[in-house]
Amino acid sequence: MFYFCYSLKVEVLPQMERGVAKVIGGDPKGNNFLYTNGKCVIIRNIENPAIADIYTEHAHQVTVAKYAPSGFYIASGDASGKIRIWDTTQKEHMLKYEYTPISGKVKDIAWTEDSKRLAVVGDGREKFGAVFLWDSGSSVGEVSGHSKLINSVDIRQKRPYRLATASDDTCASFFEGPPFKFKFTLRDHSQFVNCIRFSPDGSRFVTAGADGQILIYDGTTGERVGSLGGEKAHKGGIYAVSWSPDSSQLISASGDKTVKLWDVGATTAVTTFNLGSDVTDQQLGCLWQKDHLLSISLSGYINYLDKNNPNRPIRTIKGHTKSIQCVTVHKNEGRPYIYSGSHDGHINILSTLTDCQTGENDCFSGKGHSNQVSKIVTDEANELVTCSMDDTLRYTSISKKEYSASDVVKMDFQPKSVSVGAGGLSLAVCIGQIVLVKDKKKVFTLDNLGYEAEVGALHPGGTTAAVGGADGKVHLYSVQGNTLKDEGKALEVKGPITDMAYSNDGAYLAAIDDKKVITVFNVADGYSFYGHHAKPVTLAWSPDNEHFATGGMDMLVYVWTVSDPDQRLKIPDAHRLHHVSGLAWIDAHTLVTTSHDASVKQWTITY
């Protein structure tokens, strides 16, 4: 009998876009913060960001999510204009209501303090915003007064209610209600207005724009009362502001790569946090939650700012901003680490011991791959071997944690797969070509294969290279010195091969194909395993050489037993609504899975 349980290792960061503000939400108790990436909403504990949850029910890219002031519900909006209101108290996050108040991308959401009304703004054909009752969708006013998309909305959290919006038309608008009615336009900015926020006590609201200004208004009348920092608050455009809980201060995030802490009464900057000099250090979002000051860089990194040391954050949360394509596990000085490669070429490092408790991820320094990492393995020299759509193989020292400009092997064609064997050998399967690499140099190339090679596997002993083809065959080559010799042998499977791997002891070769069949070969013969409902795409052997795992487009993960094809563990919805992209084993009872939701899950398997 099999049993399983899992823990979530969130590597996913906010999905960022240059020049576009990122809204971070906070829960009313001050314990959690939340943001979006792809079709997911990510909720993280602010004290320990490793404690996390992911909501994956949107059909389109999610752009913003906000807690209701009650703390019991979250409203999230997506690129199609759809709003989903869902439960925060249950693990299942049951959907309460669903509406489509606008016809384009949702940019911001605001609740009234009684959690009964929502304002939603963004892009649309006939209107750029709506305000309605949360439980019926009935309109409680009109969001008008703008000629271009609305970037930001906020509602005064005290009666009498006031609503304010900020738009790409360089204006802000002020509303009274409910029902909310347009009162007047604020034309004080000269460029896009990116953010508008009421103070928690309702006495003020501020607007922040691409013109570098932060303007202060009376929260009840909408009358302008001042500005922060004189004519310019920042040297670059300002994308976000967030008030302190006591309404006396606020922080602002800017494209000038700084975050500033302001004394609103004195209208002066108390502290300037310098987050770097690279373009990826531009600051596009911020949140003041209890004693924590958070900002988000264009890189997606989440910075915990330190008032006492403004040039060095207390903590920086790293990870992936794009979907994870591959994963491997390697022990360094006795500790297992998870290495994952993503669609944008980024490689992340996650310890399976302490980091899962503290939420710290790490990455390699220097310049790495410039395109998707397609395969990631480790060799006997304690190096990470990766192949990428940038037409290279890279060898990266695990102990140095630094990319090397010299340890790069340029391929003639795009590599799809890389595997490693004994004696410094690597096998790269490229489009229309197989390349044998020894000690980081190309030593042998096979062209004109007569079939389309998809994936390769070197036998652990280094004697045989197996290449899986789109012709539904595993082609076997003997490794003779620095050459590959076609033995004229081929193992038949049911369809085009999607992944393949030798067991660690070299006794078995397992292959998966797009006909949903898993075939395992030993020296004598082969036998098939059935179970997947859609194409399996990734395979990994357990260190015990008796079990292996497969994952596929059907969101299923199976753990199979070689000696008995009927004895298997099925993990349904391993990554809900996202197919499994990578598998790796930490030990015989611990499996790691990755997905296009950019998350890593660690499963405990009991046989």
Side-chain angles (χ1 to χ4, degrees), residues 103-343:
S103 57
K105 180 188 290 188
V106 177
K107 298 276 285 182
D108 203 4
I109 296 168
W111 292 80
T112 53
E113 46 82 29
D114 59 4
S115 301
K116 291 182 178 176
R117 302 168 191 84
L118 276 115
V120 174
V121 300
D123 205 355
R125 285 185 291 274
E126 57 286 324
K127 60 180 180 178
F128 302 116
V131 56
F132 53 91
L133 291 173
W134 85 293
D135 56 354
S136 67
S138 301
S139 175
V140 286
E142 192 174 82
V143 179
S144 58
H146 290 291
S147 59
K148 291 184 179 177
L149 68 87
I150 301 174
N151 291 311
S152 185
V153 64
D154 204 16
I155 297 173
R156 187 173 187 257
Q157 294 296 292
K158 287 193 167 43
R159 292 179 184 271
Y161 289 149
R162 298 290 185 264
L163 184 148
T165 55
S167 168
D168 266 8
D169 63 9
T170 75
C171 298
S173 292
F174 189 72
F175 302 78
E176 293 180 356
F180 290 99
K181 291 179 182 170
F182 172 79
K183 294 303 287 184
F184 49 80
T185 298
L186 306 168
R187 305 180 189 276
D188 301 313
H189 285 278
S190 59
Q191 294 184 42
F192 298 163
V193 191
N194 291 319
C195 186
I196 195 160
R197 292 289 180 259
F198 280 91
S199 59
D201 67 6
S203 65
R204 299 278 188 267
F205 70 89
V206 296
T207 58
D211 56 8
Q213 293 191 91
I214 301 174
L215 307 178
I216 312 168
Y217 299 86
D218 184 275
T220 307
T221 66
E223 180 184 340
R224 182 173 168 181
V225 295
S227 62
L228 295 181
E231 194 175 316
K232 288 251 182 164
H234 282 271
K235 293 176 184 173
I238 303 165
Y239 292 99
V241 294
S242 185
W243 287 86
S244 64
D246 67 1
S247 301
S248 69
Q249 297 178 310
L250 62 78
I251 51 172
S252 56
S254 170
D256 66 8
K257 310 176 188 71
T258 69
V259 172
K260 289 189 178 182
L261 170 61
W262 300 90
D263 181 322
V264 178
T267 69
T268 55
V270 178
T271 309
T272 299
F273 302 93
N274 296 295
L275 277 305
S277 56
D278 193 79
V279 67
T280 59
D281 297 319
Q282 291 183 356
Q283 300 301 299
L284 300 182
C286 59
L287 177 70
W288 193 317
Q289 184 89 318
K290 281 188 177 175
D291 297 328
H292 297 284
L293 277 61
L294 270 59
S295 76
I296 300 187
S297 305
L298 175 57
S299 61
Y301 289 179
I302 302 167
N303 311 296
Y304 282 64
L305 306 177
D306 187 351
K307 293 179 188 177
N308 300 316
N309 186 0
N311 294 320
R312 186 178 177 86
I314 299 166
R315 161 194 279 171
T316 299
I317 301 176
K318 300 177 182 179
H320 291 292
T321 59
K322 296 287 194 296
S323 59
I324 299 175
Q325 303 294 322
C326 51
V327 66
T328 193
V329 171
H330 182 73
K331 283 188 178 175
N332 189 19
E333 296 178 355
R335 287 179 61 186
Y337 291 83
I338 300 167
Y339 298 87
S340 50
S342 66
H343 183 70

Side-chain angles (χ1 to χ4, degrees), residues 74-88:
I74 288 171
S76 51
D78 66 27
S80 73
K82 187 165 283 181
I83 294 287
R84 293 176 70 91
I85 301 171
W86 39 280
D87 176 82
T88 63

Side-chain angles (χ1 to χ4, degrees), residues 527 529 546 560-568:
Y527 39 97
F529 297 73
E546 174 64 15
W560 307 90
T561 306
V562 174
S563 58
D564 184 0
D566 293 327
Q567 189 179 346
R568 65 189 188 188

